[in-house]
Amino acid sequence: MALGVSYHGEAYDGWQSQPSGRTVQDRLELALTQFTALDGISTLCAGRTDAGVHGLMQVVHFDCALDRPETAWVRGTNRFLPPDIAVQWARQVPHSFHARASARSRRYAYVLLESPVRPSVDAGRVGWVFRPLQLEAMQQAAQALLGEHDFTSFRASACQAHSPVKQMLRVDISRRGAYWRFEFEASAFLHHMIRNIMGCLIMIGSGRRPPGWMAEVLAAKSREAAAPTFSPDGLYFLGPVYDESLNLPTRTPAFDWLP
């Protein structure tokens, strides 16, 4: 079975299971165990998210011998989940399907509030910058990230990826009122990669660095060359992209909530 899962990550220590039990994976697997009355259901996800990061369509797969309608998997599992985690859809998939390995690319969005005053009603759901940002400067800087590169400069020291070489397929930057939306699509992402890129984009957008600085940081292949890691609050995992033949959903209703 494959599930599409959405979650508000503020209360959790990230996606991946930990001894604390305070992760999205821990809560999902507990709910699946309670729903199925089976022990040992283990899920594999399309992309692990950090503490405080949100998911609009995380995709997981697992093996289970139970034969139940797809709607039953959704409603039954959600019965045992907390309010800030919800299964959005369920699909039977071929045995060859793998939530991570079958993904052709992955998508993230970062939502940023530009305001002299910190967030309140959307605290924990958006990043925040109090300096005015320049769209053209950030768009120019983002061009340096497109294509296949060694992204070591944007890689956390704890990253477990086998290679820092990834292909950035798309970077879109737009504004709606006081809110900025940065959308990224790549073959895969390194640990803290987007948050480190965001730190650089904001320095460029606020005029503290020129647009050409992004290419210099990328070429340096050193984490020390880049800006500090930016807040996880406004980061959303939009989900993986699979081959159309699998006929899996590409979005959830939460997509319409983001600016």
Side-chain angles (χ1 to χ4, degrees):
M1 292 297 300
L3 305 178
V5 185
S6 63
Y7 50 91
H8 178 59
E10 188 174 12
Y12 302 99
D13 298 333
W15 169 268
Q16 189 173 12
S17 180
Q18 297 183 26
S20 68
R22 294 192 304 270
T23 73
V24 182
Q25 183 180 17
D26 287 320
R27 296 307 301 265
L28 176 63
E29 291 180 355
L30 176 60
L32 286 168
T33 298
Q34 292 173 308
F35 169 57
T36 62
L38 297 173
D39 292 329
I41 291 185
S42 179
T43 61
L44 289 170
C45 73
R48 291 173 291 184
T49 53
D50 296 333
V53 176
H54 318 295
L56 298 192
M57 199 182 73
Q58 174 70 270
V59 177
V60 305
H61 82 267
F62 60 93
D63 295 324
C64 184
L66 291 182
D67 183 13
R68 295 187 178 180
E70 293 172 350
T71 54
W73 283 104
V74 174
R75 296 173 182 172
T77 307
N78 284 342
R79 176 186 175 190
F80 298 99
L81 283 170
D84 50 6
I85 305 174
V87 175
Q88 299 291 322
W89 53 262
R91 297 287 189 276
Q92 288 188 333
V93 288
H95 288 292
S96 59
F97 176 83
H98 190 287
R100 183 176 300 131
S102 298
R104 297 190 301 180
S105 63
R106 292 158 182 81
R107 304 164 296 163
Y108 278 88
Y110 197 100
V111 179
L112 180 71
L113 171 66
E114 180 191 312
S115 170
V117 181
R118 62 172 174 80
S120 55
V121 294
D122 47 8
R125 293 174 171 84
V126 297
W128 174 52
V129 61
F130 59 87
R131 293 185 176 93
L133 298 177
Q134 301 171 5
L135 174 61
E136 291 185 2
M138 293 188 293
Q139 288 178 327
Q140 183 179 340
Q143 291 300 305
L145 302 172
L146 298 176
E148 187 174 86
H149 301 286
D150 182 328
F151 284 94
T152 295
S153 293
F154 306 101
R155 182 182 191 178
S157 59
C159 182
Q160 299 177 356
H162 296 302
S163 170
V165 177
K166 306 297 176 187
Q167 184 177 23
M168 185 72 77
L169 303 170
R170 180 171 56 88
V171 181
D172 294 329
I173 306 173
S174 59
R175 182 171 186 171
R176 180 180 177 186
Y179 294 90
W180 291 87
R181 176 171 173 153
F182 301 76
E183 193 160 324
F184 304 86
E185 182 176 355
S187 57
F189 291 91
L190 302 169
H191 191 197
H192 286 176
M193 179 172 159
I194 295 178
R195 292 170 58 191
N196 292 332
I197 289 175
M198 284 298 304
C200 292
L201 284 173
I202 289 168
M203 290 191 73
I204 292 168
S206 60
R208 289 177 286 170
R209 291 287 191 276
W213 180 61
M214 184 69 81
E216 296 175 8
V217 171
L218 185 65
K221 300 179 184 178
S222 170
R223 179 67 191 93
E224 295 179 357
T229 305
F230 204 63
S231 165
D233 292 354
L235 185 56
Y236 294 80
F237 183 41
L238 302 182
V241 176
Y242 297 112
D243 191 280
E244 293 181 0
S245 63
L246 290 168
N247 198 31
L248 295 178
T250 59
R251 57 188 290 120
T252 65
F255 276 67
D256 297 331
W257 176 83
L258 291 187

